[in-house]
Amino acid sequence: MRFLFVVDLHGDEESYETALAVARDRSASAIVNGGDLLPHGLRNAYAGQRDFLGWLRAYWAGARDAGIACYAMFGNDDARALAAGLDEIEADGLVTRLDGGGWHELRGPDDASGWTVLGFPWVPDTPFRLKDWCRHDDASRTGPPQFGPPLISTSLGLIDVPAEALSRLPTIEDELGALPEPPERSRAVFVSHGPPSGIGLGTTGDRRDVGSPACARFLERSGFALSLHGHIHESPHVSGRWWGRLGRTVCANPGAIERPPWVLVDLDARTIEHRTLGVADF
């Protein structure tokens, strides 16, 4: 079985359509989307993101009709208050929500592959105002300077919250520690919107590593076969690394400079292929 991993499409309809065409051309049985599904929250606000979910419903229906299963979750730019809309689309059998209901079988058009997948949407606190999917990384509860007062999404739109709001919430380390065990770690694919630190997958344009140390520690001991990431768009082109290894786990971030960003995962050959940067084994 093969699947196409995409991430950080941010509501770009052309990127979605191109990804579906690539999946067909490369005989992928599924598309796994690692988050930031919707148009940028602060530009299009809540209403624009809500409307785009309607477009995604039709897109995922078309993928299903083409024999391609779809898996997806929100990322840090997606309004969490719209998650119920994603759940409704899942209930209609058009998409599987990666971060809900534990580990999911990765299925081809005819049968299960013997592999499972789980999504993790939380990212370490960012400078950006929307905090729906942000957490402090660990007990040190440090964060970057902020671009403005924090916001969260509600059914009425985006609202201000107190600056100390994150201090009352579980950390990334806490959230990772609460995840369920996969059926078989050596055949598990972990999809975390935010990358781990330390292996060149979370490098910003000014060469800071903003990956998660808690995620790196978690993956180091996880024994998962593969971990897929996004969030830091420019990272592979700044660090020169689109994949790395933590313990037994191969980790990849395709970046999002080239549109659409993707890697093709072949579970039988145990390879990951970046659209331009090469092939690695896992």
Side-chain angles (χ1 to χ4, degrees), residues 134-145:
C134 290
R135 294 284 188 266
H136 288 305
D137 194 62
D138 55 26
S140 66
R141 292 196 177 273
T142 57

Side-chain angles (χ1 to χ4, degrees), residues 1-4 23 26-31 67-71 107-109:
M1 178 183 168
R2 294 177 169 186
F3 70 83
L4 195 75
R26 301 301 298 272
S27 300
S29 299
I31 298 173
I68 296 174
C70 290
Y71 301 77
R107 303 187 67 88

Side-chain angles (χ1 to χ4, degrees), residues 136-162:
H136 288 305
D137 194 62
D138 55 26
S140 66
R141 292 196 177 273
T142 57
Q146 298 292 301
F147 292 153
L151 299 169
I152 62 168
S153 66
T154 72
S155 60
L156 300 177
L158 304 178
I159 63 169
D160 292 325
V161 293

Side-chain angles (χ1 to χ4, degrees), residues 11 46 78 90 96 103 111 122 132 181 196 256 274:
Y46 183 89
D78 299 326
E90 180 179 42
T96 297
W103 291 83
D111 203 355
W122 306 107
D132 280 354
E181 285 283 325
H274 190 281

Side-chain angles (χ1 to χ4, degrees), residues 22-108:
V22 171
R24 289 179 180 139
D25 291 346
R26 301 301 298 272
S27 300
S29 299
I31 298 173
V32 174
N33 193 314
D36 281 357
L37 308 179
L38 310 176
H40 283 288
L42 294 182
R43 186 184 347 164
N44 294 281
Y46 183 89
Q49 292 203 347
R50 182 187 57 214
D51 292 345
F52 191 76
L53 271 177
W55 186 90
L56 275 178
R57 173 185 285 275
Y59 172 82
W60 284 327
R64 179 198 58 186
D65 293 345
I68 296 174
C70 290
Y71 301 77
M73 67 183 185
F74 282 175
N76 63 289
D77 266 348
D78 299 326
R80 191 178 178 192
L82 293 169
L86 185 60
D87 291 338
E88 289 173 6
I89 301 173
E90 180 179 42
D92 290 338
L94 302 180
V95 71
T96 297
R97 183 173 167 180
L98 286 167
D99 61 320
W103 291 83
H104 301 279
E105 288 185 323
L106 277 165
R107 303 187 67 88

Side-chain angles (χ1 to χ4, degrees), residues 154-180:
T154 72
S155 60
L156 300 177
L158 304 178
I159 63 169
D160 292 325
V161 293
E164 66 274 12
L166 288 186
S167 298
R168 299 192 292 267
L169 298 173
T171 64
I172 295 286
E173 193 163 52
D174 294 334
E175 299 281 4
L176 288 167
L179 293 177

Side-chain angles (χ1 to χ4, degrees), residues 201-242:
L201 303 187
T203 307
T204 60
D206 57 3
R207 298 194 174 275
R208 289 178 298 121
D209 185 351
V210 297
S212 165
C215 185
R217 293 190 294 268
F218 172 78
L219 291 172
E220 182 77 39
R221 61 180 183 268
S222 72
F224 300 157
L226 190 61
S227 187
L228 301 170
H229 309 275
H231 186 41
I232 309 303
H233 295 194
E234 69 274 27
S235 184
H237 301 279
V238 177
S239 70
R241 301 283 304 277
W242 67 274

